[in-house]
Amino acid sequence: MKLTFIGAAHEVTGSCTLIECGGVRGLVDCGMEQGKDIFENQELPVNAGEIDFVLLTHAHIDHSGNLPLLYKNGFRGGIWATEATCNLCNIMLRDCAHIQESEAEFQNRKGRRAGRPQADPVYTMDDALGAIGRLVPCRYGQIVEVAPGVRARMTDVGHLLGSAAIEVFLTEGDETRTVVFSGDVGNSDQPILRDPQPVRAADFLVVESTYGDRLHSAERPDYLASLAGYIQRTLDRGGNVVIPSFAVGRTQEILYFIREIKERGLVHGHPDFPVWVDSPLAAEATAIFQATDVDYLDEEAAAYVRAGINPLKFSGLHISQSVEESRCINMDRTPKVILSASGMCDAGRIRHHLKHNLWDARNLILFVGFQALGTLGRTIHDGAKKVRLFGEDIAVKAEIGVLPGVSGHADRDGLTDWVAQFEKRPVQVFVNHGEDTVTDAFAAHLRSTLGLRADAPYSGAVYNLLTEQFEQFPQGRRIRKKTQAHSPAFARLLAALEKLTELVSSCEGRANRDLTKFADQIEALTEKWR
């Protein structure tokens, strides 16, 4: 009876943990890594065809995105998730497969001209459809048997529609252990979704730590006033509000806010200002949100639905489906709000909107979610003066804003409170799904504040649930950036530069006339080759 940590170990994406119990093997999440890859991840120690089941905490690609690859490699078990998660995965995995195929096609167009061999997509649409066909929907609170000796129960954790913490009940012979996987724990008092619900008992706990070293604002921010203020001053100066937003979850929250802003008249002088959602995926996800069972919603959103009000629809809302419609958004000079994926700016149509809007000081780029280290969104968020998009250097002159407190993740205290609700304290806590130093910091915080035994394992760590000991506890192996090999001629040029640098350094103290002549010669050479 063991856990092996595969992904999101000292990293914030790519969640994947292997469970072994009585000859049965299963995964909790099978996510794709996004943004900069910091550490080497262990490969699955068994073939995909030997995996008997997958338990999925929620639909975000960093938790579900490698399910089609698992299917491609031979997995044919059930993928257990809440009904809402299954519905969202149906669109998100198809979208991700389309991206994989498109990127491979783009690389092959360039590769054919350069004589490079054919590149295959990571997985295809057929692989995504195969994985979608393995989805098994279940309800919150329902105990389901996913394999011999393995049962599971899901509890709402308020991170995304259908998101769940998963209790896994493992039985091997006469021994039974309960392992709880938190998934991503949501922030309290967020629109649309219910607050995270408690889980009361666990022998072992695997908990995320995305915001495990920081706190949200002590006072609940006035989201409406902040967003309305950003929109007001940007439209007043004739600019666009560009919001990089995850197509599933965050986009729907922002639409919820904007509907209320318009209903209450919080933006003046711009009646019926246009709002564009430029993402076919976001459009499909919004339809799923609108059609979902009210039991998934918080009281305010559920009340709107019961009253016959669509909380995500309003006058001036436009949905862009085609590429042609997307292009027309930036051709239209009317000041507007543009929501587009991806939320971290590493792919999708948002990159085109950044290209057209970043350089203009009238515009606003408004971040409304976490920006992982190594992503384009993080680079812009942290103050870059220029970025490279589609082979061009784009100056960053637009205002850069952050909507305070809008996070789908609980902060350090929210995570701590959720862990503290366990009436049966876990023997061991494993901290994952956070940036390198954050996982260690949150593990230390749990040790000092709650007196729990807590560690942050790296990929490849193996824990025996019966002996309550790590069998393997490796250190993280950082990925080394490959150095580019220079051509012999360029290497010779670099060597000549070193000689020139040494010569210039040795000239200190020589006559000013000689130094001036030497500087003139270098400048003339520079101008000749510029």
Side-chain angles (χ1 to χ4, degrees):
M1 195 182 291
K2 298 178 182 179
L3 299 180
T4 302
F5 298 90
I6 305 295
H10 285 253
E11 293 182 317
V12 80
T13 63
S15 287
C16 185
T17 306
L18 173 67
I19 297 173
E20 297 176 87
C21 175
V24 171
R25 300 181 181 93
L27 299 179
V28 176
D29 289 342
C30 189
M32 180 177 287
E33 289 192 294
Q34 298 173 295
K36 188 176 181 180
D37 195 4
I38 308 295
F39 293 100
E40 293 181 10
N41 281 353
Q42 169 168 328
E43 298 291 329
L44 277 176
V46 297
N47 294 327
E50 298 176 67
I51 301 295
D52 299 293
F53 66 89
V54 175
L55 294 166
L56 185 59
T57 61
H58 63 287
H60 278 149
I61 290 301
D62 61 326
H63 290 256
S64 69
N66 273 346
L67 288 170
L69 180 60
L70 193 71
Y71 180 87
K72 175 182 179 179
N73 291 336
F75 170 74
R76 293 299 182 270
I79 303 170
W80 300 78
T82 65
E83 183 177 8
T85 294
C86 291
N87 291 338
L88 291 174
C89 279
N90 183 30
I91 61 171
M92 295 178 74
L93 295 182
R94 287 189 287 110
D95 181 73
C96 203
H98 173 70
I99 292 172
Q100 305 303 320
E101 291 179 331
S102 298
E103 287 182 352
E105 182 183 353
F106 175 73
Q107 293 299 326
N108 286 330
R109 284 201 304 270
K110 294 198 305 180
R112 282 191 291 269
R113 293 193 293 268
R116 292 195 294 267
Q118 176 87 2
D120 294 324
V122 175
Y123 52 75
T124 66
M125 186 64 72
D126 286 343
D127 299 321
L129 294 175
I132 290 166
R134 310 308 301 175
L135 290 166
V136 182
C138 55
R139 302 185 306 274
Y140 286 132
Q142 176 188 8
I143 295 180
V144 292
E145 184 172 1
V146 300
V150 182
R151 297 178 303 145
R153 178 167 58 195
M154 301 193 179
T155 299
D156 192 350
V157 283
H159 171 67
L160 177 69
L161 193 71
S163 63
I166 304 178
E167 298 168 82
V168 185
F169 308 102
L170 303 172
T171 300
E172 187 175 290
D174 296 330
E175 300 288 346
T176 298
R177 299 289 186 274
T178 301
V179 186
V180 173
F181 294 82
S182 74
D184 287 355
V185 180
N187 201 357
S188 297
D189 299 321
Q190 294 299 291
I192 305 175
L193 301 178
R194 295 189 298 174
D195 285 352
Q197 303 299 302
V199 179
R200 296 302 186 189
D203 297 312
F204 305 94
L205 170 63
V206 182
V207 63
E208 65 115 334
S209 58
T210 309
Y211 281 87
D213 68 339
R214 71 203 83 170
L215 301 176
H216 301 319
S217 174
E219 297 181 4
R220 176 174 166 79
D222 189 338
Y223 299 132
L224 288 180
S226 296
L227 180 56
Y230 275 124
I231 294 172
Q232 181 77 62
R233 69 169 178 267
T234 304
L235 298 184
D236 284 350
R237 63 185 180 231
N240 297 324
V241 178
V242 179
I243 305 178
S245 181
F246 292 108
V248 181
R250 192 51 41 80
T251 291
Q252 290 74 39
E253 289 180 0
I254 298 302
L255 291 178
Y256 189 90
F257 289 145
I258 293 176
R259 186 203 63 81
E260 190 165 354
I261 286 171
K262 288 198 168 200
E263 183 181 83
R264 294 169 54 181
L266 299 181
V267 171
H268 309 286
H270 306 278
D272 211 23
F273 61 87
V275 177
W276 281 91
V277 176
D278 187 24
S279 167
L281 176 61
E284 290 188 80
T286 300
I288 289 173
F289 271 71
Q290 291 169 340
T292 197
D293 191 316
V294 293
D295 289 343
Y296 283 91
L297 308 178
D298 69 3
E299 281 304 315
E300 183 178 271
Y304 281 126
V305 173
R306 293 189 185 103
I309 298 171
N310 188 331
L312 303 179
K313 191 174 182 180
F314 46 81
S315 177
L317 176 63
H318 307 276
I319 307 294
S320 169
Q321 295 282 1
S322 69
V323 173
E324 290 73 20
E325 288 176 315
S326 178
R327 288 173 179 160
C328 288
I329 294 172
N330 288 305
M331 295 172 62
D332 177 14
R333 299 304 176 191
T334 305
K336 63 186 75 68
V337 176
I338 305 169
L339 291 95
S340 187
S342 72
M344 297 187 192
C345 310
D346 264 4
R349 295 181 179 181
I350 186 61
R351 295 169 69 85
H352 292 276
H353 295 299
L354 291 174
K355 176 183 175 180
H356 286 281
N357 288 276
L358 267 174
W359 58 270
D360 191 335
R362 294 175 299 174
N363 299 327
L364 165 72
I365 312 301
L366 182 60
F367 290 107
V368 295
F370 181 78
Q371 303 299 308
L373 192 66
T375 61
L376 176 61
R378 180 68 166 262
T379 299
I380 296 170
H381 175 279
D382 288 351
K385 300 301 181 185
K386 66 178 179 180
V387 296
R388 195 158 183 83
L389 286 163
F390 306 106
E392 295 183 42
D393 287 330
I394 308 295
V396 180
K397 294 185 178 179
E399 178 185 357
I400 307 302
V402 178
L403 198 60
V406 177
S407 173
H409 288 270
D411 63 5
R412 186 196 66 192
D413 287 354
L415 287 169
T416 305
D417 290 343
W418 189 82
V419 174
Q421 293 178 100
F422 281 86
E423 294 171 356
K424 179 182 178 183
R425 291 163 58 88
V427 172
Q428 171 74 49
V429 178
F430 311 97
V431 178
N432 68 356
H433 204 283
E435 291 179 354
D436 183 23
T437 58
V438 178
T439 54
D440 286 330
F442 188 59
H445 177 74
L446 291 178
R447 291 193 296 268
S448 63
T449 58
L450 299 181
L452 293 169
R453 198 168 88 183
D455 292 286
Y458 286 93
S459 180
V462 179
Y463 188 87
N464 190 312
L465 298 172
L466 298 180
T467 64
E468 301 179 0
Q469 297 293 328
F470 280 100
E471 293 185 354
Q472 297 179 43
F473 195 77
Q475 294 301 304
R477 292 184 297 178
R478 289 185 176 271
I479 295 174
R480 294 183 178 179
K481 187 176 181 180
K482 295 180 180 179
T483 57
Q484 184 176 2
H486 300 304
S487 69
F490 190 71
R492 182 181 173 194
L493 182 62
L494 290 175
L497 175 61
E498 286 188 23
K499 290 181 181 179
L500 179 61
T501 302
E502 291 174 3
L503 179 58
V504 169
S505 298
S506 69
C507 288
E508 188 173 8
R510 295 180 64 167
N512 287 339
R513 182 178 61 184
D514 293 340
L515 295 178
T516 300
K517 182 178 180 181
F518 192 13
D520 288 343
Q521 291 172 342
I522 293 174
E523 289 174 359
L525 183 65
T526 302
E527 288 300 320
K528 178 180 178 181
W529 286 92
R530 187 179 298 277

